[in-house]
Amino acid sequence: MTTDSTADYIAVTRLQADYADTVSRRAWPEFHRIFAPDALVVVDTGVGEPLRLHGPDGVSGFISGAIERFEFFQFVPLNTVVETSVGGDPDAAEGRLYICELRQDRESGRWTNAFGVYHDQYRRADGRWRFVHRRYQSLARTTGRAEVFAFPHHLAPGSLAAAGD
């Protein structure tokens, strides 16, 4: 790994950590710093058709509504894999981010967990890395009984991130 690729790896993992911090604090206006204006996020919860969210406001609007019912919500990164200089482009990177959500329902006080994986594409513009494409897939959750979903191997044949969404 070269010095440049190491610095880019650290910058992208900082972006992932910034996302986790922003969601955990519910600091939705900060999404404009970490998402490209034309970013696409595809959310597959394992129920129904995947949702397609556009731009920082579309993404933050969906997430804020989805976690509104939780008195406590913590987004926890578990592991990440990042590839920099994708296709020889020093401003393109891809990655997978495995996560866990720790949640407590406001009304019932009940605790639940959700596990998932993001397949991401990142782009550096104006010296800053941002999310340009994310595809989230639920892997498991506790909601009364444990639900486990198939790992989305089909999303990334030959590369780290999902293409074509």
Side-chain angles (χ1 to χ4, degrees):
M1 198 176 258
T2 67
T3 303
D4 287 345
S5 63
T6 300
D8 289 341
Y9 174 87
I10 291 169
V12 170
T13 57
R14 282 182 174 166
L15 173 66
Q16 294 169 334
D18 196 6
Y19 175 82
D21 176 63
T22 302
V23 170
S24 294
R25 289 183 299 112
R26 304 177 194 215
W28 311 123
E30 295 179 22
F31 269 35
H32 287 272
R33 253 188 325 104
I34 61 177
F35 281 92
D38 59 347
L40 171 64
V41 176
V42 179
V43 177
D44 185 351
T45 62
V47 179
E49 289 297 312
L51 302 169
R52 298 172 67 81
L53 312 168
H54 299 275
D57 292 330
V59 177
S60 64
F62 168 76
I63 297 171
S64 66
I67 69 171
E68 185 176 296
R69 70 182 189 268
F70 299 122
E71 182 172 17
F72 177 86
F73 181 89
Q74 181 77 47
F75 185 100
V76 182
L78 298 174
N79 191 31
T80 190
V81 178
V82 174
E83 180 182 325
T84 59
S85 295
V86 172
D89 182 349
D91 295 322
E94 296 181 342
R96 271 189 307 277
L97 175 64
Y98 298 88
I99 64 98
C100 175
E101 296 173 355
L102 308 173
R103 321 174 300 189
Q104 182 187 29
D105 186 79
R106 182 175 284 110
E107 286 187 25
S108 70
R110 188 165 159 260
W111 285 87
T112 59
N113 296 326
F115 296 88
V117 61
Y118 285 89
H119 293 262
D120 292 330
Q121 294 175 346
Y122 318 95
R123 174 142 297 279
R124 179 176 28 215
D126 301 323
R128 180 175 195 88
W129 287 97
R130 290 182 177 84
F131 294 102
V132 294
H133 186 275
R134 303 195 91 185
R135 180 162 180 121
Y136 173 78
Q137 171 89 35
S138 290
L139 295 177
R141 62 180 164 250
T142 58
T143 56
R145 69 173 190 82
E147 297 176 89
V148 178
F149 305 97
F151 188 85
H153 294 287
H154 67 283
L155 294 181
S159 74
L160 290 177
D165 283 313

